[in-house]
């Protein structure tokens, strides 16, 4: 494996950029490729077997381009296929569930943790199990929030409609007096402002971007795969259906992520 090879991140859409942001800022000299599978979005309402197949096909494609490390920047695909992917492919593959769980259990003081994610992730029970394994005393309040994904993709990051939906989804978690809310979907950090307004300033919002970046560093260091170039790494952004990209998202997402540019090209892995 060549240490100049790229790091690849993928998600069903623009959600995984919340992880890409942290990885890009931690590794300015690495070449980093982002892929959003907007042709198949949302993943959260699809059967796990189908999501796993998409994930394998995406990983296969980028291994042909010699990715040195793959980040599944999507909780739904991580729940559906991280373990199977780690068995099947030789390259290091990581996902956001473990680092988020670790951080949430460290952050809570009253041991009441809320976790919000897609239906696929919540129904898999992966967060509920992982949180309880990490800390036997925690009470976990899980809530699927599928409507958040199209709202984020449409750039509705701060709207009244988004706030009303958040109030509806989070009412029972607020009632239970959670002190920590784990964002178990990479689309949700974009809603940080609205979520804070709904759950209250004092509730810890946890999402694992930084944790993932540190995990990437550990892996690359231990395998002597850190790029030693002093020149700025390439950044490439692809999505499988460009028609699904909203101009409003690009404007607000770019600000949120603090990216100077956010130019996507279409890459349909499934055509031809
Ligand atoms: N961003 C994804 C996640 O972290 C999935 C959103 C979706 O396509 O349903 O779960």
């Amino acid at each position: 494996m060549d240490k100049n090879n790229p790091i690849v991140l993928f998600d069903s859409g623009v959600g995984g950029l919340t992880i890409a942001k942290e990885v890009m800022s931690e590794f300015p000299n690495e070449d980093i490729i982002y892929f959003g599978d907007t042709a198949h979005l949302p993943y959260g309402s699809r059967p796990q077997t189908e999501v796993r197949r998409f994930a394998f096909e995406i990983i296969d494609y980028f291994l042909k381009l010699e990715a040195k490390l793959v980040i599944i920047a999507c909780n739904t695909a991580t729940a559906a296929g991280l373990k199977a992917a780690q068995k099947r492919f030789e390259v290091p593959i990581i996902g956001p569930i473990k680092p988020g769980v670790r951080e949430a259990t460290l952050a809570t003081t009253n041991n009441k943790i809320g976790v919000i994610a897609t239906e696929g992730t919540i129904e898999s029970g992966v967060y509920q199990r992982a949180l309880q394994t990490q800390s036997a005393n925690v009470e976990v309040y899980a809530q699927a929030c599928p409507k958040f994904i199209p709202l984020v993709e449409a750039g509705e990051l701060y709207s009244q409609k988004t706030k009303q939906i958040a109030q509806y989804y989070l009412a029972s978690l607020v009632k239970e007096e959670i002190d920590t809310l784990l964002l178990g979907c990479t689309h949700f950090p974009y809603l940080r402002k609205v979520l804070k307004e709904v759950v209250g300033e004092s509730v810890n919002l946890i999402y694992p971007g930084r944790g993932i970046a540190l995990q990437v560093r550990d892996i690359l260091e231990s395998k002597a795969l850190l790029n030693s170039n002093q020149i700025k790494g390439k950044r490439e952004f692809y999505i499988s259906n460009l028609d699904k990209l909203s101009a409003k998202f690009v404007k607000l997402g770019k600000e949120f992520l603090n990216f100077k540019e956010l130019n996507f090209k279409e890459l349909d892995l499934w055509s031809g």
Side-chain angles (χ1 to χ4, degrees):
M1 178 68 69
D2 189 326
K3 53 186 183 184
N4 293 317
N5 290 355
I7 297 170
V8 170
L9 300 101
F10 74 90
D11 177 38
S12 58
V14 297
L17 291 170
T18 58
I19 292 183
K21 168 191 159 92
E22 302 290 343
V23 177
M24 288 175 178
S25 96
E26 180 73 15
F27 301 103
N29 304 331
E30 297 284 348
D31 288 351
I32 300 178
I33 301 174
Y34 182 83
F35 177 74
D37 185 13
T38 48
H40 297 123
L41 179 129
Y43 278 4
S45 54
R46 293 178 182 271
Q48 288 216 322
T49 46
E50 192 181 28
V51 174
R52 189 178 313 132
R53 176 164 61 79
F54 294 147
F56 281 7
E57 286 167 348
I58 295 166
I59 296 168
D60 249 332
Y61 180 89
F62 284 104
L63 290 191
K64 288 194 188 110
L65 300 184
E66 309 203 302
K68 65 178 173 184
L69 183 142
V70 176
I71 301 166
I72 306 185
C74 171
N75 293 265
T76 313
T78 298
L82 176 66
K83 281 209 184 104
Q86 287 169 331
K87 274 200 199 126
R88 184 181 171 119
F89 301 103
E90 272 179 27
V91 72
I93 303 177
I94 59 174
I97 293 175
K98 258 199 193 159
V101 163
R102 204 174 307 129
E103 243 184 271
T105 50
L106 288 174
T108 185
T109 51
N110 73 358
N111 281 328
K112 291 181 175 210
I113 299 179
V115 57
I116 54 174
T118 64
E119 311 100 297
T121 303
I122 296 296
E123 282 163 19
S124 76
V126 65
Y127 268 109
Q128 295 90 320
R129 281 194 301 277
L131 282 162
Q132 238 119 33
T133 308
Q134 182 80 19
S135 170
N137 299 330
V138 297
E139 287 166 40
V140 182
Y141 301 92
Q143 174 68 49
C145 304
K147 289 189 180 153
F148 282 162
I149 289 98
L151 286 168
V152 168
E153 292 283 330
E156 295 293 323
L157 310 187
Y158 313 110
S159 70
Q160 203 45 37
K161 183 174 166 199
T162 302
K163 185 162 178 189
Q164 279 163 1
I165 292 175
Q167 278 164 335
Y168 169 77
Y169 279 143
L170 295 167
S172 60
L173 280 65
V174 171
K175 215 163 143 209
E176 295 295 347
E177 301 185 332
I178 57 161
D179 73 349
T180 301
L181 182 63
L182 177 49
L183 312 189
C185 172
T186 53
H187 280 76
F188 298 174
Y190 293 109
L191 305 179
R192 191 172 57 198
K193 186 169 172 285
V194 165
L195 294 172
K196 273 269 177 194
E197 279 168 17
V198 174
V199 295
E201 266 310 308
S202 64
V203 171
N204 308 304
L205 290 197
I206 306 291
Y207 53 96
R210 179 86 192 127
I212 289 266
L214 297 178
Q215 203 183 341
V216 170
R217 178 166 293 288
D218 282 350
I219 295 172
L220 294 183
E221 256 168 22
S222 72
K223 295 188 179 290
L225 279 177
L226 273 174
N227 189 334
S228 44
N229 277 343
Q230 290 310 311
I231 49 170
K232 232 170 160 277
K234 283 189 229 146
R235 267 79 179 110
E236 293 171 19
F237 300 93
Y238 299 98
I239 49 176
S240 49
N241 183 346
L242 205 49
D243 293 341
K244 300 260 185 83
L245 185 66
S246 105
K248 187 167 179 193
F249 171 81
V250 174
K251 185 175 174 287
L252 295 182
K254 207 164 75 176
E255 279 166 23
F256 178 92
L257 297 161
N258 210 5
F259 284 174
K260 279 204 194 79
E261 288 305 326
L262 184 53
N263 295 321
F264 282 100
K265 289 193 190 123
E266 187 166 275
L267 173 63
D268 182 358
L269 313 187
W270 293 273
S271 74

